[in-house]
Amino acid sequence: MKRLSPNKRTLGYYGIIAASLAVAIVAGWTALASQINDYAYDWMFRLFPPAATKPHSIILAIDDATFSAMGGVREYRRMLAKALELLAPAHPKVVGIDVVLADKEDAVEDDRLERAMQGTKNLVLVAHLKQADRRWEDPLDRFARWAAGIGHDAADENSHDGVTRQIPLEKRIGKTRHWALALEAFRLARGVTILESEDDLQLGNESIPAARTAEGNRTLRVLFRQQPIPQVSLKELSEKPELADRFTGQVAFVGVTSFSASPDRVKTPYGLMMPGVETHAQLLETLEGAKFLKSTGNLTELAFCLLTGVLAALIFGLLSGWPAYLSALFLLIGATTGPFVLFRMGFVFPYFSTLASAWLTVAAAASYQHFVVRRALRNSETERKRYQQAIHFVTHEMRTPLTAIQGSSEMMGRYNLSEEKRKQMSEMINQESKRLARMIQTFLDVERLSDGQMELKREQFTVREVVEACLARVRPIGDRKSIRIRAEAIEGGLAGDRELLEYAVYNLLTNAVKYSGPETEITVVCIPQGDRLRLSVQDQGVGMDAKELRQIFQKFYRTKRAEASGEAGTGIGLSIVEEIVQHHGGRMEVTSEPGKGSCFTMVLPAVLRASRPPTVSV
Ligand code: ADP
C-alpha cells in the first residue's frame, strides 16, 4: 500500500495552498479583477457615502433654459461675459470657467468677455487635452492673461466602464503641465501655493495624498457627495441679479449643464450622469473636505493575500473538524468584510484579490485535508483488517510446530521412553521451536519491511544454499503425497536477505506440494539470464485460469480450486513472496493452466558468478 510520508503530505499541503495563492494573486492583475474591484468600490461608495458638509462651491449653470433664453452654443462668449458681469458685485472667492476658449470668435463678444475677465478676481480657465494629437487646447492669450490659473478638465480616462472614480490632479503633455481645474480653484481660494513631492501635494497646511504615478499623473478619488452642488441658472441670475449673493465667498464654477448642448458629462459611482462642471465642483469639495480615500499599495495587497493564505494553511493544518471549519468561516467573513471596514477608515483595498486569496486558499486547504483525512481513515481501516488477518495467519501457521512440540513434550513427560527416543524427541522439540522462532522473525521482518521500517540485510550467498535448505524441509511433506521434488540446474548467487528469500522459496515449494495431486513431480530450476536469475518452481497440480492468476498476489485471495483441495491456507503467503522479491529489486512471473500445473518464477538480480554446481537430482 502506498502511503504518503508525513513530510510529503505537509509539503503537498503547503504546495497546494501556495499554488492557489499564486493563482489568486495573478488573477488579481487581470482586467476582470479590476472591473470587479471597481464594482465593489462603487458598492461601498453607495453604502458609505461621504458625510454631508456645507458646500464651498456653487455652479452657475448654462442650462437648457439659458440656451433657449440667450441663444444657442454660438453664444457662449456672450453668455460667459454676462455671467462674469453678474458675478462681479458678489465677489466670489474664485471663478472657474469650464468652457474651452481656444478659438477666436466674434471680436465684439471677445472684447466684452475680456473686459469681464479683467474685472474678475481669481479667475481660472481651462486647458483641454486633445488626446488625438496629444496637445493642449489653451485659452487664447487675451483671456489667459487675466487668469490667475489655468487648469485641465480631464476626467478618469483609465476607467474601463466609463465611471469617473478619480481625477488626475496633474496632467502633462511634453513639457507643459496643468493642475486640475478644481485644484487651481482650491489653491486660489486658500491663497496658497502648491508644494509637490513624489508622494503628495502640500497646499498650506493641507496635504493631499496623490502620489505621482508612472504616467506622471496624480490621481485622487473624488468623494462625490450625495447632495447636489448648489446651482443657479444663468437665465435665472440675469432675471434676478440679487441671486448673486449666493456666490459671495464661494468658489463659483461656470459651465454647461445642458446634456443636449454638451457631451461633457461623467458617470459617478452612484450610477448617475453628472455634467463636467459639477464634477470639478465635487473635486473641489473633496479637497476642501480634507478627508481622502487612499489606495493601499501593491505591497500591502500582497502582504494581505499572503496573510490570508498562511491563516488558511494554519487553520486546516492545526485544527480539524468543526473548529477548523468555524475558523475558516471567520477568516472568510473577515476577508469579505475587511475591505468594507478599511473603506470606512479611508482605505481602498482591492476586493478581488482579497476575496480570491481567502476563498481559494481555504477551499484548497479544506479539500486537501478532507481528502487526506478520508484517505487516512481508509488506510487505517485496511490496516486494521490487515492486522486481523495477519494474526489469523500467525496463529494458523504456528499451529503445526506448536502441536508437534506439545505432543512430543507430553509424551516425554508421560511415558518412560528409551534414551534414544528421548533424544530424538528433544531434538525435534528443539528444531520445531527454532522453526517457530524463525517464523516469528520472518513474519515480523516482512511486516517491518512492508512498513518501510526495515533495511534489507545485504549478504551474499548462492541460490543453491537456499534451495537446498528449503528442499530439506519440504521433502518430508512431499513424501506424504508421494510427490517427487527435483532440483535441476541451480546456478548463480544472490545478494540480499537470506532468511527472507528462503522464506519465499519455501513458500513456493509448499504451495506446489499443497496444490498438487499425489504421484506428481515438482521441478526447481535456477538459471541466469543476462544480469538476472530466474528461479522457478514448476508443479503438475491443480493450476489456475487467467482470471485467478491476476489475483493470487492479493492478500487473502484463494482460488476456488485451492479451497476445494481441502488444503489449509490463508492466502497471504504469495503476497509476502512478492513483497520480498520486489524488495530485492526483482519481480514474480507465473504461468499456469487449470488441471495441468503452475510455474512460479522469481526473477532476481544476479550478483555472484557462482561456479556451475552439479545437477542435484532427488
Ligand atoms: P495459501 O496457499 O495460504 O492459500 P498463498 O498466498 O500462498 O496462500 O496462495 C494464494 C492462492 O494462490 C492459493 O490459495 C491458491 O489458490 C493459489 N496458488 C498458489 N500457489 C499455487 C500453485 N502452485 N498451484 C495452484 N494454485 C496456487
Side-chain angles (χ1 to χ4, degrees):
M1 192 190 314
K2 281 251 171 338
R3 265 167 294 176
L4 282 180
S5 70
N7 270 348
K8 272 194 189 147
R9 207 189 295 169
T10 321
L11 217 67
Y13 177 62
Y14 289 111
I16 278 182
I17 292 173
S20 39
L21 195 61
V23 169
I25 291 171
V26 171
W29 295 330
T30 59
L32 177 70
S34 55
Q35 188 65 79
I36 291 172
N37 288 341
D38 284 344
Y39 283 144
Y41 174 82
D42 294 350
W43 198 33
M44 294 182 216
F45 206 94
R46 290 195 290 267
L47 218 55
F48 310 114
T53 48
K54 201 171 146 294
H56 296 78
S57 58
I58 177 164
I59 293 166
L60 181 53
I62 303 177
D63 56 2
D64 288 329
T66 311
F67 274 117
S68 42
M70 302 174 80
V73 286
R74 302 196 54 79
E75 302 297 327
Y76 272 147
R77 303 275 159 103
R78 201 161 61 81
M79 290 182 205
L80 290 176
K82 179 91 182 150
L84 293 182
E85 286 158 13
L86 287 165
L87 286 178
H91 302 295
K93 253 193 202 160
V94 179
V95 178
I97 297 183
D98 183 27
V99 177
V100 184
L101 301 167
D103 303 319
K104 275 200 185 112
E105 282 179 19
D106 185 289
V108 181
E109 298 299 347
D110 281 0
D111 283 348
R112 182 177 165 195
L113 180 57
E114 190 185 340
R115 267 198 309 281
M117 285 182 175
Q118 207 174 341
T120 304
K121 209 179 119 216
N122 287 345
L123 176 71
V124 187
L125 298 180
V126 285
H128 183 70
L129 181 62
K130 282 284 231 192
Q131 281 293 5
D133 34 5
R134 295 194 53 75
R135 65 174 182 84
W136 288 109
E137 259 187 328
D138 285 313
L140 293 176
D141 281 344
R142 62 182 307 189
F143 300 137
R145 59 196 282 236
W146 304 112
I150 294 178
H152 74 75
D153 61 355
D156 189 357
E157 61 231 12
N158 291 331
S159 169
H160 303 285
D161 53 3
V163 175
T164 286
R165 298 179 181 87
Q166 51 194 16
I167 285 183
L169 292 185
E170 176 181 359
K171 233 21 216 118
R172 280 170 195 275
I173 288 293
K175 287 213 172 88
T176 320
R177 179 268 298 274
H178 285 296
W179 298 113
L181 174 63
L183 184 67
E184 284 285 5
F186 179 65
R187 166 180 75 84
L188 292 166
R190 291 280 171 111
V192 291
T193 48
I194 302 176
L195 296 176
E196 41 186 318
S197 77
E198 278 302 303
D199 296 328
D200 53 23
L201 297 176
Q202 190 75 32
L203 280 92
N205 49 13
E206 189 170 318
S207 154
I208 302 163
R212 180 174 281 141
T213 54
E215 304 96 58
N217 295 337
R218 291 170 183 271
T219 51
L220 185 74
R221 293 182 190 265
V222 186
L223 289 168
F224 291 96
R225 301 149 52 95
Q226 274 187 313
Q227 308 71 31
I229 305 284
Q231 271 192 31
V232 176
S233 149
L234 179 55
K235 174 180 176 265
E236 238 183 308
L237 183 64
S238 56
E239 285 163 5
K240 296 183 210 152
E242 67 275 14
L243 283 178
D245 282 357
R246 295 182 59 188
F247 292 84
T248 308
Q250 296 292 85
V251 175
F253 286 99
V254 187
V256 182
T257 61
S258 159
F259 284 163
S260 51
S262 160
D264 180 18
R265 71 197 77 166
V266 300
K267 198 168 166 194
T268 69
Y270 299 116
L272 302 169
M273 295 308 288
M274 182 176 274
V277 62
E278 188 173 349
T279 318
H280 297 305
Q282 290 278 11
L283 178 57
L284 180 105
E285 297 299 342
T286 307
L287 294 168
E288 285 285 357
K291 280 202 190 100
F292 301 101
L293 276 177
K294 280 169 263 181
S295 296
T296 49
N298 287 347
L299 270 183
T300 321
E301 182 184 342
L302 195 68
F304 192 87
C305 291
L306 286 178
L307 179 73
T308 333
V310 168
L311 283 178
L314 288 180
I315 286 174
F316 285 96
L318 301 178
L319 306 174
S320 62
W322 68 263
Y325 289 107
L326 199 67
S327 317
L329 186 70
F330 281 127
L331 175 64
L332 291 179
I333 292 175
T336 314
T337 53
F340 285 81
V341 177
L342 284 171
F343 186 87
R344 293 221 70 176
M345 291 162 66
F347 294 99
V348 179
F349 202 84
Y351 200 59
F352 181 89
S353 47
T354 322
L355 267 204
S357 58
W359 281 92
L360 277 183
T361 51
V362 163
S367 30
Y368 188 89
Q369 291 301 30
H370 178 71
F371 289 118
V372 165
V373 166
R374 274 241 309 249
R375 195 165 55 185
L377 269 180
R378 245 195 341 257
N379 281 350
S380 77
E381 184 58 22
T382 339
E383 215 49 5
R384 200 180 57 81
K385 258 203 206 132
R386 213 170 75 93
Y387 185 73
Q388 266 181 357
Q389 284 160 336
I391 296 284
H392 183 74
F393 163 75
V394 171
T395 45
H396 185 272
E397 293 289 296
M398 286 180 181
R399 208 171 297 150
T400 326
L402 271 177
T403 316
I405 293 172
Q406 218 174 7
S408 311
S409 55
E410 254 177 41
M411 269 173 53
M412 281 170 78
R414 209 177 283 176
Y415 304 105
N416 230 347
L417 300 173
S418 65
E419 191 53 32
E420 194 191 345
K421 200 80 186 158
R422 278 181 92 82
K423 217 172 147 197
Q424 221 179 16
M425 287 204 159
S426 67
E427 179 73 14
M428 162 139 136
I429 291 177
N430 186 274
Q431 268 186 5
E432 287 300 321
S433 43
K434 272 190 191 149
R435 208 178 121 200
L436 251 182
R438 229 184 6 247
M439 246 165 76
I440 293 173
Q441 191 55 46
T442 309
F443 181 75
L444 291 178
D445 284 356
V446 170
E447 280 297 290
R448 295 212 321 259
L449 200 65
S450 61
D451 234 20
Q453 291 177 15
M454 199 182 83
E455 292 257 317
L456 273 185
K457 277 191 228 150
R458 299 233 22 118
E459 24 185 4
Q460 295 205 346
F461 46 89
T462 62
V463 183
R464 230 183 123 183
E465 294 167 54
V466 176
V467 171
E468 275 177 359
C470 292
L471 284 178
R473 283 163 55 201
V474 178
R475 252 183 230 126
I477 315 174
D479 286 347
R480 275 185 237 145
K481 287 170 90 176
S482 310
I483 292 174
R484 203 169 109 86
I485 306 175
R486 272 184 346 113
E488 285 194 347
I490 305 289
E491 294 176 28
L494 291 168
D497 195 310
R498 189 191 154 139
E499 291 265 308
L500 291 179
L501 283 170
E502 195 174 312
Y503 176 90
V505 176
Y506 177 72
N507 222 286
L508 295 184
L509 282 167
T510 47
N511 274 353
V513 173
K514 274 198 302 192
Y515 304 118
S516 293
E519 310 285 340
T520 52
E521 196 175 78
I522 295 172
T523 317
V524 188
V525 61
C526 183
I527 41 168
Q529 190 183 65
D531 57 351
R532 308 244 131 187
L533 282 183
R534 297 179 63 86
L535 172 54
S536 307
V537 176
Q538 171 124 39
D539 62 42
Q540 298 166 340
V542 292
M544 290 161 280
D545 61 27
K547 201 169 152 238
E548 291 168 332
L549 264 185
R550 279 196 292 276
Q551 303 180 69
I552 47 166
F553 289 105
Q554 284 171 18
K555 280 200 174 92
F556 311 109
Y557 174 79
R558 301 198 75 205
T559 63
K560 289 231 167 55
R561 259 177 282 267
E563 300 275 7
S565 70
E567 291 285 352
T570 53
I572 201 171
L574 279 183
S575 68
I576 295 180
V577 170
E578 189 180 41
E579 188 110 37
I580 293 173
V581 170
Q582 281 175 354
H583 272 90
H584 281 84
R587 63 170 197 279
M588 287 301 298
E589 282 179 12
V590 194
T591 54
S592 186
E593 212 177 310
K596 295 240 170 100
S598 317
C599 179
F600 284 78
T601 307
M602 294 163 52
V603 185
L604 289 161
V607 279
L608 287 181
R609 280 257 154 244
S611 58
R612 199 184 179 94
T615 303
V616 187
S617 188
V618 187

PDB file of all heavy atoms in Angstrom, residues 495-519:
ATOM      1  N   ALA A 495      22.334 -11.406  -3.689  1.00  0.00           N
ATOM      2  CA  ALA A 495      22.689 -10.545  -2.557  1.00  0.00           C
ATOM      3  C   ALA A 495      21.393 -10.084  -1.946  1.00  0.00           C
ATOM      4  O   ALA A 495      20.472  -9.715  -2.661  1.00  0.00           O
ATOM      5  CB  ALA A 495      23.486  -9.343  -3.041  1.00  0.00           C
ATOM      6  N   GLY A 496      21.336 -10.152  -0.635  1.00  0.00           N
ATOM      7  CA  GLY A 496      20.104  -9.709  -0.003  1.00  0.00           C
ATOM      8  C   GLY A 496      19.906 -10.394   1.326  1.00  0.00           C
ATOM      9  O   GLY A 496      20.868 -10.779   1.994  1.00  0.00           O
ATOM     10  N   ASP A 497      18.640 -10.528   1.698  1.00  0.00           N
ATOM     11  CA  ASP A 497      18.323 -11.111   2.986  1.00  0.00           C
ATOM     12  C   ASP A 497      18.025 -12.590   2.814  1.00  0.00           C
ATOM     13  O   ASP A 497      16.982 -12.973   2.291  1.00  0.00           O
ATOM     14  CB  ASP A 497      17.115 -10.374   3.566  1.00  0.00           C
ATOM     15  CG  ASP A 497      16.953 -10.663   5.031  1.00  0.00           C
ATOM     16  OD1 ASP A 497      16.967 -11.856   5.395  1.00  0.00           O
ATOM     17  OD2 ASP A 497      16.833  -9.698   5.816  1.00  0.00           O
ATOM     18  N   ARG A 498      18.955 -13.381   3.254  1.00  0.00           N
ATOM     19  CA  ARG A 498      18.854 -14.810   3.012  1.00  0.00           C
ATOM     20  C   ARG A 498      17.615 -15.431   3.665  1.00  0.00           C
ATOM     21  O   ARG A 498      16.906 -16.213   3.042  1.00  0.00           O
ATOM     22  CB  ARG A 498      20.121 -15.477   3.570  1.00  0.00           C
ATOM     23  CG  ARG A 498      20.207 -16.908   3.187  1.00  0.00           C
ATOM     24  CD  ARG A 498      21.287 -17.589   3.940  1.00  0.00           C
ATOM     25  NE  ARG A 498      20.896 -18.989   3.976  1.00  0.00           N
ATOM     26  CZ  ARG A 498      21.743 -19.972   3.818  1.00  0.00           C
ATOM     27  NH1 ARG A 498      23.006 -19.715   3.642  1.00  0.00           N
ATOM     28  NH2 ARG A 498      21.316 -21.206   3.850  1.00  0.00           N
ATOM     29  N   GLU A 499      17.339 -15.029   4.899  1.00  0.00           N
ATOM     30  CA  GLU A 499      16.169 -15.559   5.621  1.00  0.00           C
ATOM     31  C   GLU A 499      14.891 -15.320   4.829  1.00  0.00           C
ATOM     32  O   GLU A 499      14.060 -16.197   4.666  1.00  0.00           O
ATOM     33  CB  GLU A 499      16.020 -14.820   6.963  1.00  0.00           C
ATOM     34  CG  GLU A 499      17.078 -15.121   7.960  1.00  0.00           C
ATOM     35  CD  GLU A 499      16.647 -16.220   8.909  1.00  0.00           C
ATOM     36  OE1 GLU A 499      15.548 -16.073   9.470  1.00  0.00           O
ATOM     37  OE2 GLU A 499      17.382 -17.211   9.044  1.00  0.00           O
ATOM     38  N   LEU A 500      14.768 -14.068   4.357  1.00  0.00           N
ATOM     39  CA  LEU A 500      13.538 -13.711   3.655  1.00  0.00           C
ATOM     40  C   LEU A 500      13.416 -14.460   2.339  1.00  0.00           C
ATOM     41  O   LEU A 500      12.344 -14.963   1.985  1.00  0.00           O
ATOM     42  CB  LEU A 500      13.502 -12.197   3.408  1.00  0.00           C
ATOM     43  CG  LEU A 500      13.321 -11.329   4.646  1.00  0.00           C
ATOM     44  CD1 LEU A 500      13.323  -9.854   4.276  1.00  0.00           C
ATOM     45  CD2 LEU A 500      12.014 -11.670   5.349  1.00  0.00           C
ATOM     46  N   LEU A 501      14.535 -14.563   1.604  1.00  0.00           N
ATOM     47  CA  LEU A 501      14.473 -15.265   0.319  1.00  0.00           C
ATOM     48  C   LEU A 501      14.180 -16.749   0.533  1.00  0.00           C
ATOM     49  O   LEU A 501      13.457 -17.371  -0.242  1.00  0.00           O
ATOM     50  CB  LEU A 501      15.770 -15.057  -0.461  1.00  0.00           C
ATOM     51  CG  LEU A 501      15.847 -13.673  -1.124  1.00  0.00           C
ATOM     52  CD1 LEU A 501      17.225 -13.410  -1.675  1.00  0.00           C
ATOM     53  CD2 LEU A 501      14.802 -13.545  -2.232  1.00  0.00           C
ATOM     54  N   GLU A 502      14.738 -17.257   1.615  1.00  0.00           N
ATOM     55  CA  GLU A 502      14.480 -18.663   1.911  1.00  0.00           C
ATOM     56  C   GLU A 502      12.991 -18.865   2.205  1.00  0.00           C
ATOM     57  O   GLU A 502      12.365 -19.823   1.750  1.00  0.00           O
ATOM     58  CB  GLU A 502      15.328 -19.093   3.114  1.00  0.00           C
ATOM     59  CG  GLU A 502      15.404 -20.599   3.262  1.00  0.00           C
ATOM     60  CD  GLU A 502      16.357 -21.008   4.376  1.00  0.00           C
ATOM     61  OE1 GLU A 502      17.483 -20.484   4.407  1.00  0.00           O
ATOM     62  OE2 GLU A 502      15.961 -21.831   5.207  1.00  0.00           O
ATOM     63  N   TYR A 503      12.456 -17.910   2.919  1.00  0.00           N
ATOM     64  CA  TYR A 503      11.030 -17.973   3.227  1.00  0.00           C
ATOM     65  C   TYR A 503      10.217 -18.006   1.929  1.00  0.00           C
ATOM     66  O   TYR A 503       9.264 -18.775   1.772  1.00  0.00           O
ATOM     67  CB  TYR A 503      10.633 -16.753   4.066  1.00  0.00           C
ATOM     68  CG  TYR A 503       9.146 -16.688   4.355  1.00  0.00           C
ATOM     69  CD1 TYR A 503       8.625 -17.284   5.494  1.00  0.00           C
ATOM     70  CD2 TYR A 503       8.270 -16.050   3.474  1.00  0.00           C
ATOM     71  CE1 TYR A 503       7.270 -17.248   5.754  1.00  0.00           C
ATOM     72  CE2 TYR A 503       6.915 -16.011   3.720  1.00  0.00           C
ATOM     73  CZ  TYR A 503       6.420 -16.597   4.855  1.00  0.00           C
ATOM     74  OH  TYR A 503       5.078 -16.567   5.112  1.00  0.00           O
ATOM     75  N   ALA A 504      10.626 -17.138   0.966  1.00  0.00           N
ATOM     76  CA  ALA A 504       9.894 -17.038  -0.296  1.00  0.00           C
ATOM     77  C   ALA A 504       9.952 -18.352  -1.070  1.00  0.00           C
ATOM     78  O   ALA A 504       8.933 -18.864  -1.538  1.00  0.00           O
ATOM     79  CB  ALA A 504      10.470 -15.893  -1.126  1.00  0.00           C
ATOM     80  N   VAL A 505      11.162 -18.913  -1.187  1.00  0.00           N
ATOM     81  CA  VAL A 505      11.313 -20.157  -1.949  1.00  0.00           C
ATOM     82  C   VAL A 505      10.524 -21.278  -1.266  1.00  0.00           C
ATOM     83  O   VAL A 505       9.818 -22.061  -1.915  1.00  0.00           O
ATOM     84  CB  VAL A 505      12.810 -20.538  -2.069  1.00  0.00           C
ATOM     85  CG1 VAL A 505      12.967 -21.877  -2.768  1.00  0.00           C
ATOM     86  CG2 VAL A 505      13.567 -19.452  -2.810  1.00  0.00           C
ATOM     87  N   TYR A 506      10.625 -21.319   0.064  1.00  0.00           N
ATOM     88  CA  TYR A 506       9.936 -22.354   0.827  1.00  0.00           C
ATOM     89  C   TYR A 506       8.431 -22.268   0.585  1.00  0.00           C
ATOM     90  O   TYR A 506       7.737 -23.259   0.403  1.00  0.00           O
ATOM     91  CB  TYR A 506      10.250 -22.168   2.318  1.00  0.00           C
ATOM     92  CG  TYR A 506       9.538 -23.146   3.219  1.00  0.00           C
ATOM     93  CD1 TYR A 506       9.923 -24.491   3.242  1.00  0.00           C
ATOM     94  CD2 TYR A 506       8.498 -22.741   4.036  1.00  0.00           C
ATOM     95  CE1 TYR A 506       9.261 -25.395   4.058  1.00  0.00           C
ATOM     96  CE2 TYR A 506       7.830 -23.643   4.858  1.00  0.00           C
ATOM     97  CZ  TYR A 506       8.222 -24.972   4.866  1.00  0.00           C
ATOM     98  OH  TYR A 506       7.571 -25.867   5.669  1.00  0.00           O
ATOM     99  N   ASN A 507       7.943 -21.031   0.541  1.00  0.00           N
ATOM    100  CA  ASN A 507       6.525 -20.816   0.314  1.00  0.00           C
ATOM    101  C   ASN A 507       6.069 -21.335  -1.039  1.00  0.00           C
ATOM    102  O   ASN A 507       5.024 -21.975  -1.162  1.00  0.00           O
ATOM    103  CB  ASN A 507       6.251 -19.316   0.380  1.00  0.00           C
ATOM    104  CG  ASN A 507       4.990 -19.047   1.137  1.00  0.00           C
ATOM    105  OD1 ASN A 507       3.917 -19.288   0.625  1.00  0.00           O
ATOM    106  ND2 ASN A 507       5.150 -18.600   2.386  1.00  0.00           N
ATOM    107  N   LEU A 508       6.890 -21.053  -2.084  1.00  0.00           N
ATOM    108  CA  LEU A 508       6.531 -21.529  -3.421  1.00  0.00           C
ATOM    109  C   LEU A 508       6.504 -23.053  -3.438  1.00  0.00           C
ATOM    110  O   LEU A 508       5.629 -23.670  -4.050  1.00  0.00           O
ATOM    111  CB  LEU A 508       7.523 -21.001  -4.461  1.00  0.00           C
ATOM    112  CG  LEU A 508       7.541 -19.485  -4.676  1.00  0.00           C
ATOM    113  CD1 LEU A 508       8.498 -19.121  -5.804  1.00  0.00           C
ATOM    114  CD2 LEU A 508       6.137 -18.979  -5.004  1.00  0.00           C
ATOM    115  N   LEU A 509       7.502 -23.632  -2.745  1.00  0.00           N
ATOM    116  CA  LEU A 509       7.578 -25.096  -2.732  1.00  0.00           C
ATOM    117  C   LEU A 509       6.392 -25.715  -1.983  1.00  0.00           C
ATOM    118  O   LEU A 509       5.783 -26.675  -2.461  1.00  0.00           O
ATOM    119  CB  LEU A 509       8.900 -25.541  -2.090  1.00  0.00           C
ATOM    120  CG  LEU A 509      10.118 -25.414  -3.012  1.00  0.00           C
ATOM    121  CD1 LEU A 509      11.409 -25.553  -2.217  1.00  0.00           C
ATOM    122  CD2 LEU A 509      10.068 -26.482  -4.100  1.00  0.00           C
ATOM    123  N   THR A 510       6.058 -25.168  -0.811  1.00  0.00           N
ATOM    124  CA  THR A 510       4.936 -25.762  -0.057  1.00  0.00           C
ATOM    125  C   THR A 510       3.626 -25.585  -0.822  1.00  0.00           C
ATOM    126  O   THR A 510       2.787 -26.474  -0.827  1.00  0.00           O
ATOM    127  CB  THR A 510       4.783 -25.144   1.349  1.00  0.00           C
ATOM    128  OG1 THR A 510       4.859 -23.744   1.217  1.00  0.00           O
ATOM    129  CG2 THR A 510       5.836 -25.622   2.300  1.00  0.00           C
ATOM    130  N   ASN A 511       3.476 -24.429  -1.512  1.00  0.00           N
ATOM    131  CA  ASN A 511       2.274 -24.248  -2.336  1.00  0.00           C
ATOM    132  C   ASN A 511       2.202 -25.321  -3.411  1.00  0.00           C
ATOM    133  O   ASN A 511       1.149 -25.899  -3.654  1.00  0.00           O
ATOM    134  CB  ASN A 511       2.287 -22.875  -3.016  1.00  0.00           C
ATOM    135  CG  ASN A 511       1.704 -21.810  -2.110  1.00  0.00           C
ATOM    136  OD1 ASN A 511       1.171 -22.127  -1.043  1.00  0.00           O
ATOM    137  ND2 ASN A 511       1.818 -20.561  -2.525  1.00  0.00           N
ATOM    138  N   ALA A 512       3.358 -25.539  -4.055  1.00  0.00           N
ATOM    139  CA  ALA A 512       3.395 -26.538  -5.130  1.00  0.00           C
ATOM    140  C   ALA A 512       2.962 -27.898  -4.592  1.00  0.00           C
ATOM    141  O   ALA A 512       2.207 -28.629  -5.240  1.00  0.00           O
ATOM    142  CB  ALA A 512       4.796 -26.604  -5.726  1.00  0.00           C
ATOM    143  N   VAL A 513       3.451 -28.230  -3.390  1.00  0.00           N
ATOM    144  CA  VAL A 513       3.081 -29.519  -2.803  1.00  0.00           C
ATOM    145  C   VAL A 513       1.594 -29.521  -2.455  1.00  0.00           C
ATOM    146  O   VAL A 513       0.868 -30.466  -2.754  1.00  0.00           O
ATOM    147  CB  VAL A 513       3.935 -29.805  -1.543  1.00  0.00           C
ATOM    148  CG1 VAL A 513       3.444 -31.061  -0.829  1.00  0.00           C
ATOM    149  CG2 VAL A 513       5.400 -29.950  -1.922  1.00  0.00           C
ATOM    150  N   LYS A 514       1.153 -28.372  -1.814  1.00  0.00           N
ATOM    151  CA  LYS A 514      -0.234 -28.304  -1.351  1.00  0.00           C
ATOM    152  C   LYS A 514      -1.215 -28.462  -2.507  1.00  0.00           C
ATOM    153  O   LYS A 514      -2.218 -29.145  -2.397  1.00  0.00           O
ATOM    154  CB  LYS A 514      -0.493 -26.940  -0.682  1.00  0.00           C
ATOM    155  CG  LYS A 514      -0.116 -26.914   0.779  1.00  0.00           C
ATOM    156  CD  LYS A 514      -0.750 -25.761   1.550  1.00  0.00           C
ATOM    157  CE  LYS A 514      -0.454 -24.382   1.036  1.00  0.00           C
ATOM    158  NZ  LYS A 514      -0.838 -23.314   1.932  1.00  0.00           N
ATOM    159  N   TYR A 515      -0.924 -27.784  -3.629  1.00  0.00           N
ATOM    160  CA  TYR A 515      -1.896 -27.747  -4.721  1.00  0.00           C
ATOM    161  C   TYR A 515      -1.572 -28.731  -5.848  1.00  0.00           C
ATOM    162  O   TYR A 515      -1.884 -28.471  -7.001  1.00  0.00           O
ATOM    163  CB  TYR A 515      -2.043 -26.304  -5.224  1.00  0.00           C
ATOM    164  CG  TYR A 515      -2.421 -25.372  -4.088  1.00  0.00           C
ATOM    165  CD1 TYR A 515      -1.595 -24.324  -3.689  1.00  0.00           C
ATOM    166  CD2 TYR A 515      -3.595 -25.605  -3.363  1.00  0.00           C
ATOM    167  CE1 TYR A 515      -1.931 -23.512  -2.613  1.00  0.00           C
ATOM    168  CE2 TYR A 515      -3.933 -24.804  -2.280  1.00  0.00           C
ATOM    169  CZ  TYR A 515      -3.100 -23.759  -1.911  1.00  0.00           C
ATOM    170  OH  TYR A 515      -3.446 -22.972  -0.838  1.00  0.00           O
ATOM    171  N   SER A 516      -0.871 -29.833  -5.495  1.00  0.00           N
ATOM    172  CA  SER A 516      -0.601 -30.882  -6.484  1.00  0.00           C
ATOM    173  C   SER A 516      -1.177 -32.198  -5.968  1.00  0.00           C
ATOM    174  O   SER A 516      -1.228 -32.427  -4.754  1.00  0.00           O
ATOM    175  CB  SER A 516       0.905 -31.073  -6.683  1.00  0.00           C
ATOM    176  OG  SER A 516       1.455 -29.933  -7.285  1.00  0.00           O
ATOM    177  N   GLY A 517      -1.551 -32.990  -6.921  1.00  0.00           N
ATOM    178  CA  GLY A 517      -2.077 -34.294  -6.546  1.00  0.00           C
ATOM    179  C   GLY A 517      -0.936 -35.253  -6.234  1.00  0.00           C
ATOM    180  O   GLY A 517       0.236 -34.948  -6.511  1.00  0.00           O
ATOM    181  N   PRO A 518      -1.251 -36.436  -5.671  1.00  0.00           N
ATOM    182  CA  PRO A 518      -0.208 -37.417  -5.387  1.00  0.00           C
ATOM    183  C   PRO A 518       0.439 -37.951  -6.667  1.00  0.00           C
ATOM    184  O   PRO A 518      -0.142 -37.837  -7.750  1.00  0.00           O
ATOM    185  CB  PRO A 518      -0.953 -38.531  -4.651  1.00  0.00           C
ATOM    186  CG  PRO A 518      -2.394 -38.200  -4.693  1.00  0.00           C
ATOM    187  CD  PRO A 518      -2.577 -36.858  -5.279  1.00  0.00           C
ATOM    188  N   GLU A 519       1.631 -38.458  -6.477  1.00  0.00           N
ATOM    189  CA  GLU A 519       2.379 -39.070  -7.589  1.00  0.00           C
ATOM    190  C   GLU A 519       2.722 -38.050  -8.684  1.00  0.00           C
ATOM    191  O   GLU A 519       2.823 -38.400  -9.843  1.00  0.00           O
ATOM    192  CB  GLU A 519       1.580 -40.224  -8.254  1.00  0.00           C
ATOM    193  CG  GLU A 519       1.011 -41.269  -7.319  1.00  0.00           C
ATOM    194  CD  GLU A 519       2.074 -42.211  -6.787  1.00  0.00           C
ATOM    195  OE1 GLU A 519       3.148 -42.302  -7.418  1.00  0.00           O
ATOM    196  OE2 GLU A 519       1.853 -42.821  -5.716  1.00  0.00           O
TER     197      GLU A 519
END
